[in-house]
Amino acid sequence: LNDPVAAADCLEKGGLYEEALDVWLARRDARRAAQLLARLGRRDEALDQWRLVIAQLEQKDDRLGAADVWERQLGDVEGALS
């Protein structure tokens, strides 16, 4: 596939999680990496990626999006309010 996103989706569906994760990380897609890491039970690594998502949203002045990630993904209402 010439489409990395479609390829990574295909890898995930085929159970090739590490290979899919490599694609997400290479593309700097922290959200997709965090989702996959969470599904794999790699909580600490997922949290690092979610924090990266939050930082990216805050750089774009998307405070509502960042608060949503704080609350929904990290379960941190206090972080969402800051």
Side-chain angles (χ1 to χ4, degrees):
L1 293 171
N2 289 330
D3 180 358
V5 172
D9 285 335
C10 187
L11 289 167
E12 277 191 59
K13 289 177 185 168
L16 299 170
Y17 303 119
E18 290 301 321
E19 291 82 353
L21 181 59
D22 288 343
V23 173
W24 299 132
L25 292 173
R27 294 184 52 77
R28 299 181 192 267
D29 191 333
R31 185 178 297 268
R32 293 294 298 264
Q35 290 168 340
L36 180 53
L37 287 162
R39 281 201 318 269
L40 296 174
R42 292 164 60 179
R43 181 172 164 69
D44 290 341
E45 292 170 90
L47 289 174
D48 289 341
Q49 291 299 309
W50 285 122
R51 288 185 186 109
L52 184 56
V53 170
I54 290 165
Q56 291 168 345
L57 291 167
E58 288 174 344
Q59 281 183 329
K60 296 177 186 176
D61 286 328
D62 184 356
R63 296 191 188 280
L64 185 58
D68 185 60
V69 173
W70 272 111
E71 185 175 359
R72 292 179 189 260
Q73 303 302 330
L74 302 179
D76 184 352
V77 176
E78 292 299 318
L81 296 174
S82 63

